[in-house]
Amino acid sequence: MSDERDAGPERLGYATRGIEYEEPLLFERSRPGRVGYSLPASDVPDADPAAALDPSWLRSDVPALPELSEVDVVRHFTRLSTWNAAVDLGLYPLGSCTMKYNPKINEWAARLPGFARAHPLQPVAQSQGLLELMWRLEQALAEISGMDRVSLQPAAGAQGELAGIMMIRAYHEHRGEKRHKVLVPDSAHGTNPASAALNDYEVETIPSGRDGVLHPEAVERAMNEDVAALMITNPSTLGLFEPHIAAICDLVHARGGLVYGDGANLNALLGIARPGDLGIDVMHFNLHKTFSTPHGGGGPGSGPVGVKNILAPYLPIPVVRRLEQAEGEGFALDYEFPRSIGRLHANFGNVGMFVRAWAYIRSLGPDGLRRCAEMAVLNANYLLARLRHAWHVPIDRTVMHECVLSDKDLEPSGVTTLDVAKRLIDYGYHPPTVYFPLIVHGALMIEPTESESLEGLDRFADALLAIADEARRDPDWVRTAPHRTRLARLDETRAARRPVLRWQPASSD
Ligand SMILES: *Cc1c(COP(=O)(O)O)cnc(C)c1O
């Protein structure tokens, strides 16, 4: 690959694209006396901070902090940022965790100084704009989901689940009922049983049918007066709509249980069906999934929780309330809810996410939201149609927003799902979710979302078709992927070991 003329820069450790391949740590770049600040000399006499401290507080065993100039630090982190996969750089096909593009108008709105610079301890009278936005977002989420009330407080889907299950526990306790069990289908995300267990419930797993969906008979067998709730994700993590959802909710309600809806896959239903109308009593929203706010390394999440009126007395406090006419105009924060499960987050929650989600909902409007769901479902089915002749599809039906493939057909070649995920990196893609849901052996779960163009979907499908072909013709090449990345394949069985840098001066591809 390398040209003779490149040998010079390569020998000195520079890449041909002008980026250093090796990025030393800030500690390694440090030079004594190099600083990134300029402060006037102290005019406080005897201002040696060490002298002002009790000697027993001083440690001598800590390494010195790196000493660098401002531009050294900026370039270090900017270079590292170019090594990242990001949804702004390409398709990010993680199934179940909707990783969708974050429209820049949301960022504009979140940076408006009135929101971005608001202090969490500012008095309510000075926070009216923010409270109104929160109140309106709650109303919008309630309308979209068919719930009666919403609290924006939880900071993630998992915390929304925790809040929901705490409310279910409080509801039964208030009625003098002691229930010990929560039912969770075997296709559920791990946070579901975790949230139930954190609330001291025993978790009973309900098997999905051979067709991948939950059947009323399976719920009926497990349902009794000791069951507090069923937690259900619809569409499920297999990307399948649960067709028996209404009958299943009726069964649970008939024995005094409540139904928790995991709303992480709401992107497939937006504007088409409402969990509240299907019988769900309490659910969470993932603003960082369905409502396009940043995700993971992009920022804090937000997992509002929505409830039917029977659970409203248990909502987290404070509750945002629009003032009644006699009280004048505006919004208040109410704390006087004796049955509330209490506070789950400092101050208001992750406010920047509320502004982004509100901007997203308002910029799309009801028709735009519905179109999101339609396009997300169409895109997933398009990918499946392009891939099913070359890939094993464990449950081959029309899907909702995501589809699940497996490595079963690659077995003779010895290539596994993990190898395919690594090889996709060579094609420039962040790998999809692998080995989940757990009920599909060697699962590859793909969610393209609504934002990808036809050409973008075709490019991704072409990559997966090429990899299936490579696995048959040259399995060793796939098994040792990635081959085009900065770092060679990591030995993931020994994660603590330092990775080996791939770059070598005269390597040929
Ligand atoms: C993402 C996800 C969760 C958890 O949400 P977080 O915001 O990551 O805590 C729960 N259930 C399902 C199905 C999910 O995809």
Side-chain angles (χ1 to χ4, degrees), residues 95-98 156-159 161 189 191-192 233 237 262 264-265 284 286 288-289 295 302:
S96 189
C97 263
T98 306
Q159 205 189 14
E161 289 175 32
H189 193 277
T191 49
N192 291 188
T233 312
T237 61
D262 179 327
N265 292 341
H284 73 261
N286 302 65
H288 47 284
K289 296 183 182 175
H295 205 147
S302 180

mmCIF file of all heavy atoms in Angstrom, residues 95-98 156-159 161 189 191-192 233 237 262 264-265 284 286 288-289 295 302, ligand 1:
data_model
loop_
_atom_site.group_PDB
_atom_site.id
_atom_site.type_symbol
_atom_site.label_atom_id
_atom_site.label_comp_id
_atom_site.label_asym_id
_atom_site.label_seq_id
_atom_site.Cartn_x
_atom_site.Cartn_y
_atom_site.Cartn_z
ATOM 1 N N GLY A 95 -29.594 -2.214 17.453
ATOM 2 C CA GLY A 95 -30.992 -2.545 17.689
ATOM 3 C C GLY A 95 -31.379 -2.287 19.127
ATOM 4 O O GLY A 95 -30.536 -2.249 20.007
ATOM 5 N N SER A 96 -32.663 -2.094 19.350
ATOM 6 C CA SER A 96 -33.285 -1.843 20.647
ATOM 7 C C SER A 96 -32.927 -0.458 21.180
ATOM 8 O O SER A 96 -33.803 0.308 21.516
ATOM 9 C CB SER A 96 -32.969 -2.917 21.684
ATOM 10 O OG SER A 96 -33.781 -2.667 22.814
ATOM 11 N N CYS A 97 -31.660 -0.133 21.279
ATOM 12 C CA CYS A 97 -31.310 1.235 21.617
ATOM 13 C C CYS A 97 -31.418 2.074 20.353
ATOM 14 O O CYS A 97 -30.461 2.150 19.592
ATOM 15 C CB CYS A 97 -29.887 1.320 22.134
ATOM 16 S SG CYS A 97 -29.807 1.324 23.905
ATOM 17 N N THR A 98 -32.553 2.709 20.123
ATOM 18 C CA THR A 98 -32.695 3.560 18.943
ATOM 19 C C THR A 98 -31.607 4.627 18.959
ATOM 20 O O THR A 98 -31.606 5.509 19.799
ATOM 21 C CB THR A 98 -34.068 4.257 18.956
ATOM 22 O OG1 THR A 98 -35.069 3.272 19.102
ATOM 23 C CG2 THR A 98 -34.294 5.040 17.683
ATOM 24 N N ALA A 156 -32.851 8.207 32.987
ATOM 25 C CA ALA A 156 -32.580 7.183 31.974
ATOM 26 C C ALA A 156 -33.778 6.254 31.938
ATOM 27 O O ALA A 156 -34.596 6.259 32.868
ATOM 28 C CB ALA A 156 -31.331 6.380 32.332
ATOM 29 N N GLY A 157 -33.852 5.441 30.880
ATOM 30 C CA GLY A 157 -34.927 4.468 30.806
ATOM 31 C C GLY A 157 -34.924 3.574 32.036
ATOM 32 O O GLY A 157 -35.970 3.309 32.640
ATOM 33 N N ALA A 158 -33.739 3.133 32.427
ATOM 34 C CA ALA A 158 -33.653 2.226 33.571
ATOM 35 C C ALA A 158 -34.190 2.897 34.832
ATOM 36 O O ALA A 158 -34.840 2.255 35.656
ATOM 37 C CB ALA A 158 -32.203 1.786 33.770
ATOM 38 N N GLN A 159 -33.932 4.211 34.990
ATOM 39 C CA GLN A 159 -34.452 4.878 36.192
ATOM 40 C C GLN A 159 -35.963 5.097 36.082
ATOM 41 O O GLN A 159 -36.658 5.085 37.094
ATOM 42 C CB GLN A 159 -33.724 6.208 36.443
ATOM 43 C CG GLN A 159 -33.783 6.572 37.917
ATOM 44 C CD GLN A 159 -33.286 7.968 38.223
ATOM 45 O OE1 GLN A 159 -33.123 8.811 37.349
ATOM 46 N NE2 GLN A 159 -33.052 8.217 39.499
ATOM 47 N N GLU A 161 -37.897 2.889 34.736
ATOM 48 C CA GLU A 161 -38.413 1.582 35.163
ATOM 49 C C GLU A 161 -38.438 1.493 36.684
ATOM 50 O O GLU A 161 -39.413 1.029 37.277
ATOM 51 C CB GLU A 161 -37.506 0.455 34.648
ATOM 52 C CG GLU A 161 -37.571 0.223 33.158
ATOM 53 C CD GLU A 161 -36.558 -0.826 32.731
ATOM 54 O OE1 GLU A 161 -36.268 -1.750 33.520
ATOM 55 O OE2 GLU A 161 -36.034 -0.714 31.612
ATOM 56 N N HIS A 189 -35.219 -6.685 27.878
ATOM 57 C CA HIS A 189 -33.947 -6.022 28.145
ATOM 58 C C HIS A 189 -33.583 -6.291 29.605
ATOM 59 O O HIS A 189 -34.464 -6.331 30.468
ATOM 60 C CB HIS A 189 -34.166 -4.525 27.932
ATOM 61 C CG HIS A 189 -32.920 -3.713 27.864
ATOM 62 N ND1 HIS A 189 -32.258 -3.275 28.976
ATOM 63 C CD2 HIS A 189 -32.230 -3.244 26.797
ATOM 64 C CE1 HIS A 189 -31.205 -2.560 28.595
ATOM 65 N NE2 HIS A 189 -31.162 -2.525 27.286
ATOM 66 N N THR A 191 -32.533 -4.535 31.903
ATOM 67 C CA THR A 191 -32.940 -3.558 32.918
ATOM 68 C C THR A 191 -34.290 -3.918 33.535
ATOM 69 O O THR A 191 -34.564 -3.528 34.667
ATOM 70 C CB THR A 191 -33.042 -2.140 32.321
ATOM 71 O OG1 THR A 191 -33.813 -2.208 31.118
ATOM 72 C CG2 THR A 191 -31.675 -1.566 32.022
ATOM 73 N N ASN A 192 -35.147 -4.656 32.816
ATOM 74 C CA ASN A 192 -36.482 -4.981 33.351
ATOM 75 C C ASN A 192 -36.381 -5.857 34.610
ATOM 76 O O ASN A 192 -36.857 -5.451 35.681
ATOM 77 C CB ASN A 192 -37.373 -5.630 32.302
ATOM 78 C CG ASN A 192 -37.818 -4.703 31.173
ATOM 79 O OD1 ASN A 192 -38.633 -5.046 30.347
ATOM 80 N ND2 ASN A 192 -37.264 -3.497 31.117
ATOM 81 N N THR A 233 -42.300 -5.200 26.699
ATOM 82 C CA THR A 233 -41.748 -4.274 25.700
ATOM 83 C C THR A 233 -42.479 -4.521 24.398
ATOM 84 O O THR A 233 -42.524 -5.661 23.928
ATOM 85 C CB THR A 233 -40.242 -4.538 25.495
ATOM 86 O OG1 THR A 233 -39.610 -4.626 26.757
ATOM 87 C CG2 THR A 233 -39.597 -3.429 24.685
ATOM 88 N N THR A 237 -38.068 -6.860 21.832
ATOM 89 C CA THR A 237 -36.680 -6.680 21.396
ATOM 90 C C THR A 237 -36.363 -7.547 20.179
ATOM 91 O O THR A 237 -35.275 -7.452 19.632
ATOM 92 C CB THR A 237 -35.690 -6.991 22.529
ATOM 93 O OG1 THR A 237 -35.879 -8.342 22.903
ATOM 94 C CG2 THR A 237 -35.920 -6.103 23.727
ATOM 95 N N ASP A 262 -42.341 -1.101 28.774
ATOM 96 C CA ASP A 262 -41.001 -0.591 28.478
ATOM 97 C C ASP A 262 -41.109 0.154 27.150
ATOM 98 O O ASP A 262 -41.346 -0.445 26.105
ATOM 99 C CB ASP A 262 -40.030 -1.772 28.401
ATOM 100 C CG ASP A 262 -38.605 -1.342 28.061
ATOM 101 O OD1 ASP A 262 -38.429 -0.357 27.315
ATOM 102 O OD2 ASP A 262 -37.671 -2.027 28.533
ATOM 103 N N ALA A 264 -38.935 1.759 25.329
ATOM 104 C CA ALA A 264 -37.705 2.000 24.562
ATOM 105 C C ALA A 264 -37.929 1.849 23.057
ATOM 106 O O ALA A 264 -37.194 2.428 22.263
ATOM 107 C CB ALA A 264 -36.592 1.077 25.032
ATOM 108 N N ASN A 265 -38.928 1.054 22.673
ATOM 109 C CA ASN A 265 -39.173 0.826 21.247
ATOM 110 C C ASN A 265 -40.366 1.637 20.716
ATOM 111 O O ASN A 265 -40.950 1.295 19.689
ATOM 112 C CB ASN A 265 -39.382 -0.672 20.983
ATOM 113 C CG ASN A 265 -38.100 -1.457 21.218
ATOM 114 O OD1 ASN A 265 -37.020 -0.885 21.226
ATOM 115 N ND2 ASN A 265 -38.216 -2.757 21.412
ATOM 116 N N HIS A 284 -42.058 3.974 30.599
ATOM 117 C CA HIS A 284 -41.060 5.038 30.485
ATOM 118 C C HIS A 284 -40.852 5.378 29.013
ATOM 119 O O HIS A 284 -41.173 4.583 28.125
ATOM 120 C CB HIS A 284 -39.728 4.641 31.133
ATOM 121 C CG HIS A 284 -38.937 3.634 30.363
ATOM 122 N ND1 HIS A 284 -38.938 2.290 30.664
ATOM 123 C CD2 HIS A 284 -38.115 3.772 29.292
ATOM 124 C CE1 HIS A 284 -38.157 1.651 29.820
ATOM 125 N NE2 HIS A 284 -37.647 2.514 28.963
ATOM 126 N N ASN A 286 -37.761 6.914 26.438
ATOM 127 C CA ASN A 286 -36.336 7.234 26.384
ATOM 128 C C ASN A 286 -36.211 8.434 25.445
ATOM 129 O O ASN A 286 -36.261 8.268 24.229
ATOM 130 C CB ASN A 286 -35.513 6.062 25.849
ATOM 131 C CG ASN A 286 -35.682 4.803 26.673
ATOM 132 O OD1 ASN A 286 -36.781 4.248 26.723
ATOM 133 N ND2 ASN A 286 -34.630 4.349 27.309
ATOM 134 N N HIS A 288 -33.674 9.977 24.788
ATOM 135 C CA HIS A 288 -32.439 9.798 24.022
ATOM 136 C C HIS A 288 -32.576 8.678 22.987
ATOM 137 O O HIS A 288 -31.615 8.342 22.326
ATOM 138 C CB HIS A 288 -31.267 9.531 24.967
ATOM 139 C CG HIS A 288 -31.568 8.498 26.008
ATOM 140 N ND1 HIS A 288 -32.345 8.773 27.109
ATOM 141 C CD2 HIS A 288 -31.235 7.211 26.116
ATOM 142 C CE1 HIS A 288 -32.450 7.680 27.851
ATOM 143 N NE2 HIS A 288 -31.794 6.710 27.262
ATOM 144 N N LYS A 289 -33.721 8.076 22.867
ATOM 145 C CA LYS A 289 -33.959 7.142 21.772
ATOM 146 C C LYS A 289 -35.030 7.760 20.867
ATOM 147 O O LYS A 289 -34.736 8.412 19.889
ATOM 148 C CB LYS A 289 -34.392 5.778 22.303
ATOM 149 C CG LYS A 289 -33.317 5.098 23.138
ATOM 150 C CD LYS A 289 -33.719 3.715 23.610
ATOM 151 C CE LYS A 289 -32.613 3.116 24.483
ATOM 152 N NZ LYS A 289 -32.998 1.832 25.071
ATOM 153 N N HIS A 295 -27.138 10.542 23.074
ATOM 154 C CA HIS A 295 -27.167 9.221 23.679
ATOM 155 C C HIS A 295 -25.759 8.845 24.118
ATOM 156 O O HIS A 295 -24.808 9.204 23.447
ATOM 157 C CB HIS A 295 -27.592 8.274 22.562
ATOM 158 C CG HIS A 295 -28.234 7.017 23.002
ATOM 159 N ND1 HIS A 295 -29.203 6.415 22.251
ATOM 160 C CD2 HIS A 295 -28.056 6.229 24.069
ATOM 161 C CE1 HIS A 295 -29.588 5.305 22.841
ATOM 162 N NE2 HIS A 295 -28.909 5.176 23.950
ATOM 163 N N SER A 302 -32.483 10.788 29.371
ATOM 164 C CA SER A 302 -33.673 11.194 30.107
ATOM 165 C C SER A 302 -34.748 10.142 29.885
ATOM 166 O O SER A 302 -35.023 9.777 28.746
ATOM 167 C CB SER A 302 -34.145 12.570 29.630
ATOM 168 O OG SER A 302 -35.287 12.955 30.351
HETATM 169 C C1 LIG B 1 -32.419 1.100 26.166
HETATM 170 C C2 LIG B 1 -33.399 0.195 26.738
HETATM 171 C C3 LIG B 1 -33.709 0.227 28.112
HETATM 172 C C4 LIG B 1 -32.943 1.073 29.126
HETATM 173 O O1 LIG B 1 -32.907 2.415 28.839
HETATM 174 P P1 LIG B 1 -31.668 3.334 29.286
HETATM 175 O O2 LIG B 1 -32.096 4.692 28.920
HETATM 176 O O3 LIG B 1 -30.493 2.831 28.512
HETATM 177 O O4 LIG B 1 -31.485 3.142 30.755
HETATM 178 C C5 LIG B 1 -34.715 -0.597 28.566
HETATM 179 N N1 LIG B 1 -35.362 -1.430 27.734
HETATM 180 C C6 LIG B 1 -35.093 -1.503 26.406
HETATM 181 C C7 LIG B 1 -35.862 -2.436 25.526
HETATM 182 C C8 LIG B 1 -34.096 -0.699 25.875
HETATM 183 O O5 LIG B 1 -33.805 -0.769 24.575
#
